[in-house]
Amino acid sequence: MRAESTPYTPYTHHPAPIPFADPWQYELAFPCDPRSPRIARTTLRAILGAHELDELIYRAELLTSELTTNSVRHTKGPAAVRLQWRHPVLRISVWDMSPDLPKPYAPPADPHAEAGRGMAILELVADRWGGCAIGEGAYGPGGKTVWFELALGT
């Protein structure tokens, strides 16, 4: 007696992509490691490219690089990047364990200095930005979050 077999059909059902104007959120946690800003930039490019937000990639990458580099340079613990889309605005937040908010931009004394311009870049490139210190809470350490927003068409 021979068993009847059904022909193999590959799995073809995939969920529909999130509509362009619907909200979404991604988060990447990373260690205090000098490779982390590059990994954050690469991940950000992949996410924004997949969601067809190519117009925002350059500015988002530049500002995310500044904030994640500061986290790795000036703190000792882990950090995280969160991307939130609320059409037509992308908000990117960088959290780290230091409660110290960045100081406002002041031109470096030495015009040839290699550092010290991150806050000026944030001020010039972001549509909006801010930050807040987070106290120690029931869910773990506090720290701070610095965020910026980029809007389509600006």
Side-chain angles (χ1 to χ4, degrees):
M1 178 176 204
R2 202 167 113 188
E4 288 282 324
S5 65
T6 57
Y8 172 75
T9 55
Y11 181 72
T12 58
H13 177 72
H14 296 283
I18 297 171
F20 187 75
D22 283 4
W24 49 257
Q25 175 175 295
Y26 293 86
E27 188 166 340
L28 171 68
F30 56 91
C32 185
D33 181 285
R35 295 169 286 205
S36 294
R38 181 182 47 161
I39 292 166
R41 287 191 307 271
T42 302
T43 303
L44 177 137
R45 265 194 316 271
I47 292 168
L48 296 183
H51 283 278
E52 299 178 2
L53 291 168
D54 297 338
E55 174 185 329
L56 301 178
I57 291 175
Y58 176 76
R59 293 189 303 151
E61 187 177 5
L62 173 66
L63 297 177
T64 300
S65 185
E66 287 294 328
L67 295 179
T68 56
T69 298
N70 285 348
S71 288
V72 168
R73 275 193 178 163
H74 302 296
T75 67
K76 303 256 187 262
V81 176
R82 176 181 292 159
L83 287 74
Q84 296 172 291
W85 173 248
R86 302 289 182 269
H87 181 52
V89 175
L90 174 69
R91 177 180 276 208
I92 298 179
S93 307
V94 177
W95 168 86
D96 63 44
M97 293 185 68
S98 170
D100 301 326
L101 290 170
K103 294 178 174 80
Y105 175 70
D110 176 4
H112 302 292
E114 292 184 18
R117 294 177 185 83
M119 297 313 294
I121 293 169
L122 187 61
E123 183 69 37
L124 290 169
V125 175
D127 294 323
R128 286 181 19 154
W129 72 275
C132 62
I134 304 166
E136 185 82 23
Y139 300 107
K144 73 171 168 302
T145 298
V146 178
W147 57 267
F148 63 87
E149 292 181 346
L150 303 173
L152 284 178
T154 58

